[in-house]
Amino acid sequence: MGIQFGGDYNPEQWPEEVWAEDLKLMKAAHVTMVTAGIFSWARVEPRSGQWDFGWFDRVMDNLAGAGIAVCLATMTASPPPWLSHAHPEILPEGPDGQRRWPGGRQHYCPSSPVYRAHAVRLVEQLATRYAGHPALAMWHIGNEYGCHTRQCYCAVSAEDFRRWLRERYESVTALNAAWSTAFWSQGYGDFDEVLPPRTAPTFPNPAQQLDYLRFGDEALRACYLAEKEVLNRLTPEVPVTTNLMPQHKPVDAFAWSAHMDAMALDFYQDPYAGDDHIRAGYVFDLMRSARSGQPWMLLEQAPSAVNWRPRNGPKPPGAMRLWSWQAVAQGADAVLFFQWRQSLGGAEKFHSAMLPHGGTDTRIFREVSELGRELASLAGIEGTRSRAEVALLADWHSWWALELDSKPSTALEHSRIALEHYRPLFEAGVACDVVPPQRELNDYRLVVVPNLYLLTARDAERLTAYVRDGGRLVVSFFSGIVDEYDRVHPGGAPAPLRELLGLRVEEFWPLDAGRTVAVEGAYAGRADLWSEAVDLEGAEALARFADGDLAGRPALTRHTYGRGTVWYLGTRPEPVLMRALLDDVRRAAGVAPVVPGLPAGVQATVREGAGGRYLFLLNHGTDTVEVGLPEPMREALAADGARGGTVDRVTLAARGVAVLTDD
Ligand code: GLA
């Protein structure tokens, strides 16, 4: 089958005469898969219960005839006007009680039984009609859950939240204890008194907010699962997925992964960001790790510019190719775009497409077609996997809790902190998994905990056991502070990690905006964002604060515990220090880069399996570089796109890609 290649196909935007040309040009561009029907609800059900599938039958038949597989959308992401007109109660409300009106998309309350019933009815029609259709390869449920409507606060959601709380806590006494309602006179006498955390005069109860984030994620997932139940019943052999978004706070990718037959991601690298490939690297690794290394799908990316940033830079020549290969190098078995043919009207007419307004005689169409050809030429990559010896922990519950209000500092952002820990590993060319704290860790030589503010006693014990048994662990500040209800672990911070880390944090000392402090010792330089008053209880100080309020107190520590070692960061070291520290730590853990001595800016990954062993070299830098290979390999895809012979060095131009194999 090979790597799937294609994009969103929205034929309802075009007269049927155009469809034949679509198919011809898709073949020319080496398209193997499209995701179709994502926003077709109003066309297939123009009035409640009146179905018009004839035109879509022709779309499906045409695609089958052309040998193009369909990842068929369930069409439920944008309810048609008749539905919200007849049932305005399906419209979502913000925390301020303001209704979100139709006119865009995703204007539904996830808890709405009316919305769900209509969605399920549509999915039953679709699955019944297209079961066994030769084009049907996969189901694509909804679209980017929680993208626009992240949470709803309406009366229907409130009722659903109370149901959720009753199931979770069983008694209002348990709820009161979990939410610390003795504070500010918030004790509830009955579940009926509980509301969503709507806009209040001051900070709403943090545990209530945290539970509402959990509930919101589950409400979105309930929509997905309601549709999935229909699909699994009517087309049990067809795999099911949905397109997740990168570092998307409302949707816990780890929790969703158990219900997806393949992880699927939309990722729009920002050409103007300069280093967005590092963020991509982190999210791609998370996608691969979520289902324990199973190949995932890049379900959407832009061929060039998007239309939704303040300034939308096109992808310069070679960037789309490089970033597509990056996804494959990090485990993707599908590279798809939004969208096939560029719209003439509507909100996304300036968003690039595989087939631009300018037609086939365009840079974008040429680059897209060339990428399709390249991917088709390396079908053996499909199904191969990577192995990592380093795990970075990520946890949505901790993220949700960390970014609630009323903290020592509101400047701690989960996504940024995660990337600050990921970057040194990426830049060193070290393979890395991104996993939840509950994952088995013993197979990893090194585990990095960027910032786990919320850590259950059980997960803290698992980290402790990991080190006791010989593991190497890095833990950053403000970890292990609260339990699953955002209640501080008693016993002095970070209580459940104190013995493991060999220290206590007497006081948090977040640094003011723009303020830096000096650290000195084995690591010398500057740090910012955070500091804390650490007392050693067995750990050694590798570096101490050299100025500021905490001068002389430990800043970076190391502790031997059981058969393992744990490092602790009581501040945010500047990037060069962070790199130096993590380089030393991974050497101590015996973790080697994929290719030793990689030039700066070059990414190297390996995938192997039944289809062979592949080394991917990607030059994200702006200079031409030479990469020496650890052993001679054959160029499956040479830097110029051709195939070459066996080499022991590769020259990579800026944005160059080489794929090598040893078969
Ligand atoms: C998202 C959506 C698509 C489209 C693109 C534009 O990924 O799923 O429908 O709006 O954004 O970038």
Side-chain angles (χ1 to χ4, degrees):
M1 203 167 72
I3 306 291
Q4 296 287 10
F5 180 71
D8 280 22
Y9 183 36
N10 300 308
E12 69 270 27
Q13 295 180 19
W14 300 91
E16 279 201 43
E17 305 84 81
V18 175
W19 298 356
E21 190 195 46
D22 284 335
L23 294 173
K24 196 179 92 205
L25 295 181
M26 281 181 194
K27 295 307 282 182
H30 307 276
V31 167
T32 61
M33 173 180 267
V34 294
T35 74
I38 298 171
F39 298 104
S40 301
W41 191 347
R43 280 292 294 272
V44 301
E45 192 183 7
R47 297 257 177 288
S48 182
Q50 282 179 27
W51 306 102
D52 178 8
F53 280 110
W55 68 277
F56 202 77
D57 292 348
R58 292 193 289 284
V59 171
M60 291 290 284
D61 294 348
N62 291 345
L63 289 163
I68 294 172
V70 176
C71 179
L72 182 52
T74 56
M75 309 187 174
T76 53
S78 189
W82 59 257
L83 181 51
S84 49
H85 181 71
H87 294 284
E89 72 274 19
I90 75 160
L91 295 171
E93 282 178 16
D96 50 0
Q98 287 288 317
R99 180 170 282 183
R100 304 295 186 254
W101 296 95
R105 62 179 177 182
Q106 220 174 66
H107 44 281
Y108 61 84
C109 158
S111 292
S112 166
V114 177
Y115 165 73
R116 285 193 200 166
H118 278 86
V120 160
R121 184 173 71 163
L122 167 57
V123 177
E124 275 172 348
Q125 289 284 326
L126 272 169
T128 306
R129 193 168 191 99
Y130 297 113
H133 193 283
L136 177 63
M138 287 189 82
W139 288 108
H140 169 176
I141 298 182
N143 191 62
E144 292 193 339
Y145 278 98
C147 171
H148 311 298
T149 301
R150 300 161 80 100
Q151 294 236 251
C152 172
Y153 295 76
C154 76
V156 173
S157 294
E159 192 50 47
D160 198 25
F161 183 44
R162 289 188 283 267
R163 173 202 55 78
W164 186 87
L165 291 172
R166 282 192 184 93
E167 285 170 15
R168 186 173 167 89
Y169 294 105
E170 292 178 358
S171 78
V172 81
T173 313
L175 173 85
N176 281 320
W179 285 12
S180 307
T181 58
F183 184 77
W184 279 357
S185 180
Q186 293 176 350
Y188 293 101
D190 192 290
F191 281 105
D192 288 343
E193 297 163 8
V194 182
L195 291 168
R198 295 185 178 137
T199 309
T202 183
F203 309 128
N205 180 304
Q208 177 192 13
Q209 294 191 63
L210 177 57
D211 266 351
Y212 208 66
L213 286 154
R214 293 183 171 120
F215 160 76
D217 174 43
E218 287 189 34
L220 292 170
R221 199 150 66 242
C223 293
Y224 170 85
L225 291 175
E227 297 188 22
K228 180 173 185 284
E229 185 280 322
V230 177
L231 300 173
N232 287 164
R233 180 160 42 81
L234 296 177
T235 57
E237 70 294 349
V238 181
V240 166
T241 194
T242 186
N243 47 344
L244 303 178
M245 296 167 66
Q247 295 190 306
H248 187 42
K249 194 170 168 183
V251 167
D252 178 350
F254 294 129
W256 284 63
S257 66
H259 308 286
M260 297 169 67
D261 294 314
M263 297 303 284
L265 173 73
D266 297 350
F267 197 97
Y268 290 88
Q269 289 212 34
D270 181 355
Y272 284 170
D275 59 357
D276 218 19
H277 61 283
I278 302 210
R279 187 174 64 100
Y282 174 81
V283 179
F284 293 174
D285 280 345
L286 191 153
M287 283 296 131
R288 189 193 59 249
S289 311
R291 287 182 58 85
S292 303
Q294 182 190 322
W296 54 279
M297 307 174 76
L298 180 62
L299 212 58
E300 287 182 27
Q301 62 168 342
S304 187
V306 300
N307 66 313
W308 40 262
R309 294 193 174 103
R311 288 166 200 242
N312 297 297
K315 292 182 178 172
M320 184 276 290
R321 171 176 183 251
L322 172 69
W323 295 336
S324 300
W325 275 109
Q326 182 184 355
V328 176
Q330 293 188 242
D333 268 3
V335 174
L336 281 76
F337 296 87
F338 176 85
Q339 61 178 328
W340 162 248
R341 187 184 277 271
Q342 192 171 16
S343 308
L344 294 179
E348 296 183 320
K349 55 188 170 295
F350 294 116
H351 192 294
S352 61
M354 299 168 78
L355 182 60
H357 293 151
T360 54
D361 185 15
T362 50
R363 173 180 76 91
I364 291 177
F365 188 77
R366 278 189 288 277
E367 285 194 26
V368 162
S369 310
E370 177 54 18
L371 176 67
R373 187 196 65 73
E374 279 184 4
L375 291 170
S377 73
L378 286 177
I381 294 170
E382 187 215 344
T384 55
R385 294 184 175 221
S386 326
R387 222 178 70 74
E389 294 177 328
V390 182
L392 202 79
L393 298 196
D395 180 45
W396 260 258
H397 296 260
S398 182
W399 180 359
W400 292 330
L402 174 71
E403 293 179 3
L404 294 173
D405 36 36
S406 58
K407 287 284 189 323
S409 166
T410 55
L412 303 190
E413 293 168 31
H414 162 83
S415 297
R416 268 184 60 185
I417 291 173
L419 292 185
E420 284 159 7
H421 289 73
Y422 178 78
R423 176 187 285 270
L425 298 164
F426 182 96
E427 290 181 344
V430 168
C432 182
D433 285 349
V434 181
V435 301
Q438 298 74 32
R439 189 65 65 82
E440 173 58 55
L441 299 175
N442 285 333
D443 290 342
Y444 295 107
R445 285 175 182 269
L446 172 64
V447 174
V448 179
V449 178
N451 173 285
L452 271 187
Y453 161 71
L454 182 157
L455 184 67
T456 63
R458 176 186 299 194
D459 290 338
E461 178 42 41
R462 296 182 69 256
L463 292 176
T464 304
Y466 167 72
V467 179
R468 193 187 298 127
D469 295 344
R472 317 284 170 137
L473 184 72
V474 175
V475 178
S476 270
F477 57 85
F478 211 44
S479 291
I481 305 302
V482 297
D483 69 8
E484 56 269 53
Y485 306 113
D486 199 38
R487 294 180 305 205
V488 171
H489 287 292
L497 297 175
R498 203 169 145 178
E499 183 189 320
L500 168 66
L501 300 175
L503 54 80
R504 76 161 180 156
V505 177
E506 191 188 348
E507 223 175 323
F508 305 126
W509 220 283
L511 294 167
D512 203 1
R515 179 76 203 284
T516 65
V517 283
V519 297
E520 62 184 11
Y523 301 93
R526 302 212 67 86
D528 68 353
L529 186 71
W530 185 268
S531 63
E532 51 193 25
V534 167
D535 285 329
L536 299 180
E537 296 175 333
E540 60 177 312
L542 295 177
R544 292 178 180 270
F545 292 109
D547 59 17
D549 296 330
L550 298 180
R553 307 276 300 240
L556 306 173
T557 71
R558 181 172 58 197
H559 187 220
T560 306
Y561 184 81
R563 292 192 286 120
T565 309
V566 54
W567 287 257
Y568 182 70
L569 285 71
T571 187
R572 176 170 75 175
E574 60 184 317
V576 292
L577 271 194
M578 191 71 176
R579 173 74 194 267
L581 176 69
L582 281 182
D583 277 352
D584 287 348
V585 168
R586 68 172 175 76
R587 276 190 213 108
V591 176
V594 174
V595 173
L598 267 186
V602 177
Q603 182 184 8
T605 71
V606 169
R607 290 182 64 172
E608 56 190 312
R613 177 166 174 273
Y614 297 88
L615 169 66
F616 299 85
L617 297 174
L618 304 125
N619 185 4
H620 296 284
T622 47
D623 298 326
T624 298
V625 292
E626 285 252 310
V627 183
L629 305 180
E631 59 194 328
M633 295 183 85
R634 189 172 62 75
E635 286 183 296
L637 180 72
D640 60 3
R643 276 165 194 265
T646 299
V647 294
D648 57 10
R649 311 191 67 72
V650 172
T651 304
L652 286 175
R655 302 199 188 99
V657 177
V659 184
L660 299 118
T661 183
D662 53 9
D663 60 18

